Amino acid sequence: MDFQAGILQDGSPMESLEKQLICPICLEMFSKPVVILPCQHNLCRKCANDVFQAANPYWQSRGSLISGGRFRCPSCRHEVLLDRHGVYGLQRNLLVENIIDIYKQECSSRPLKKGEHPMCKEHEDERINIYCVTCEVPTCSMCKVFGAHKDCEVAPLQTIFQGQKTELNNCISMLVAGNDRIQTIISQLEDSCQSTEENSEAAKRELCARFDALAALLEEKKSELLQRISHEQGDKTAFIQSLICQYKEQLEKSSRLVETAIQAAEETGGAAFLMNAKQLIKTIVEASKGGRLEKIEQGYESMDAFSVSLDHLTEAVRALDFDTAEEDEEYFDGEEEEVEE
């Protein structure tokens, strides 16, 4: 017997109960036996087996070498793991089966009312009880005998009903299997995304370490060259400072000699002047001729010899780039072919 919604009044408790007893796969009331999944949702054993077979196409009957399989609950998408017994290893929900029996008894005890079964629009007193195969629409016997479908091929309504119901169940199984495959692809893509992030962080750390090492090497080289410039600076300034001291000493001696000569020139007495004049003149002549101090060469203070050309290094740094391996190109080509498939 086909127990459809609408036998009882809308909004009645029995109708609410009926909605709770609908299988999410076949959209009909649960058929015995009813299996209960680990997530506490229920399925007809046949529907559960169809979903399991669609998700595990290579799984054979019990006793095969293949052990177990998995599929996702159509209600909550929870992954259900089964052993080698497959769906037959799931427990039956005897409570739901008993509730279905009580519900069916209650519904069978209620008389059908006119209008609860679909009626023909052309013949208001005729129930729709046959199916026009030619026009692919349900109709009534009067339409076949006298009406628009008298020249059409017809079949029993229940036969077409069972055939299309089976076809719909197969379509549902295919959709469920397709959803499982899509979910698998999504999981793989999520794993690839996570791996990409982890590999990117590792590549960043390695790149930073290489540049830090290069910066440390440049800093070490800079300190070495600065030390050489400072050493040369110390040598030159020390030499110049020594010359300054020598020239200051000579200037001081010359100044004292000038004072002595001025004092001698101011002497009015001839005898007293002549006693020291000859020796003083000799000393002044010797001081003017001898005692030539060392001088620095022109451009001695220049530090042009310590200039460094970094143009080639700058160009090399500008040209820095990642290595492009042929293996990477082949890998991406293979990925594109897989995506197209």
Side-chain angles (χ1 to χ4, degrees):
M1 181 179 294
D2 184 16
F3 296 91
Q4 299 179 352
I7 294 179
L8 302 178
Q9 295 181 357
D10 294 339
S12 65
M14 294 297 290
E15 182 181 1
S16 300
L17 176 61
E18 181 183 358
K19 294 180 180 179
Q20 301 299 320
L21 301 178
I22 298 299
C23 174
I25 298 297
C26 62
L27 303 180
E28 292 290 335
M29 188 171 294
F30 290 116
S31 62
K32 292 184 180 181
V34 180
V35 294
I36 182 170
L37 303 181
C39 56
Q40 304 302 314
H41 290 113
N42 299 290
L43 292 176
C44 306
R45 177 178 288 177
K46 180 182 181 302
C47 296
N49 190 60
D50 291 341
V51 175
F52 176 70
Q53 292 289 346
N56 302 270
Y58 300 106
W59 189 88
Q60 301 175 1
S61 60
R62 289 179 293 176
S64 64
L65 297 178
I66 300 178
S67 59
R70 63 184 64 192
F71 69 96
R72 293 188 180 276
C73 172
S75 298
C76 65
R77 306 303 299 164
H78 176 77
E79 189 174 52
V80 181
L81 301 178
L82 302 181
D83 57 14
R84 62 185 180 87
H85 299 289
V87 175
Y88 292 91
L90 295 173
Q91 294 184 354
R92 292 177 58 177
N93 195 334
L94 299 178
L95 175 61
V96 173
E97 293 181 9
N98 293 333
I99 293 175
I100 292 175
D101 291 338
I102 297 173
Y103 177 82
K104 289 181 177 180
Q105 292 176 5
E106 176 68 20
C107 291
S108 62
S109 63
R110 293 174 177 266
L112 291 175
K113 298 179 181 180
K114 182 179 180 180
E116 293 177 349
H117 192 282
M119 308 300 288
C120 179
K121 295 181 179 180
E122 299 294 332
H123 308 91
E124 297 181 356
D125 295 331
E126 293 294 328
R127 297 172 57 183
I128 294 178
N129 55 2
I130 61 175
Y131 187 85
C132 179
V133 179
T134 304
C135 300
E136 296 183 347
V137 292
T139 184
C140 71
S141 301
M142 295 298 293
C143 289
K144 170 57 180 171
V145 178
F146 306 105
H149 302 283
K150 62 182 180 179
D151 297 328
C152 299
E153 180 184 355
V154 296
L157 190 65
Q158 191 66 19
T159 302
I160 304 299
F161 166 75
Q162 293 298 336
Q164 292 192 0
K165 183 62 69 66
T166 302
E167 183 179 356
L168 179 59
N169 290 336
N170 293 335
C171 292
I172 293 174
S173 299
M174 288 191 297
L175 286 177
V176 172
N179 291 342
D180 289 339
R181 288 193 294 270
I182 293 175
Q183 183 63 42
T184 301
I185 295 175
I186 292 175
S187 300
Q188 293 175 351
L189 292 176
E190 290 176 348
D191 293 341
S192 298
C193 183
Q194 182 178 359
S195 299
T196 301
E197 293 178 355
E198 293 174 355
N199 295 337
S200 299
E201 293 300 324
K204 290 178 182 178
R205 290 193 296 270
E206 181 180 0
L207 184 64
C208 291
R210 291 179 181 273
F211 270 83
D212 290 342
L214 180 60
L217 179 62
L218 290 174
E219 189 67 27
E220 180 181 355
K221 194 64 177 179
K222 183 181 74 173
S223 300
E224 177 186 347
L225 296 179
L226 287 175
Q227 186 176 4
R228 289 173 58 184
I229 294 175
S230 299
H231 186 269
E232 184 69 13
Q233 175 188 357
D235 291 345
K236 287 189 175 183
T237 53
F239 177 71
I240 294 174
Q241 290 293 340
S242 65
L243 290 180
I244 292 175
C245 292
Q246 293 177 19
Y247 275 98
K248 285 184 177 180
E249 291 177 359
Q250 184 178 2
L251 178 62
E252 185 177 357
K253 291 179 181 180
S254 178
S255 299
R256 287 198 300 268
L257 187 58
V258 170
E259 292 178 358
T260 302
I262 292 173
Q263 292 177 359
E266 292 176 352
E267 182 66 43
T268 57
F273 175 77
L274 292 176
M275 290 179 62
N276 297 321
K278 186 176 181 179
Q279 183 63 34
L280 182 59
I281 292 172
K282 182 179 179 181
T283 302
I284 292 174
V285 172
E286 291 179 354
S288 62
K289 291 182 179 180
R292 299 284 183 181
L293 297 179
E294 187 177 1
K295 298 181 181 179
I296 60 175
E297 298 177 357
Q298 185 177 1
Y300 179 79
E301 66 279 4
S302 175
M303 302 295 284
D304 293 340
F306 293 94
S307 63
V308 177
S309 177
L310 299 178
D311 294 340
H312 64 288
L313 185 58
T314 303
E315 294 299 326
V317 172
R318 293 182 187 275
L320 280 178
D321 201 351
F322 298 105
D323 296 333
T324 303
E326 293 182 357
E327 292 83 6
D328 294 340
E329 296 179 358
E330 295 177 356
Y331 172 79
F332 285 118
D333 292 340
E335 287 290 329
E336 292 178 357
E337 292 177 359
E338 292 181 0
V339 171
E340 290 177 358
E341 292 179 358

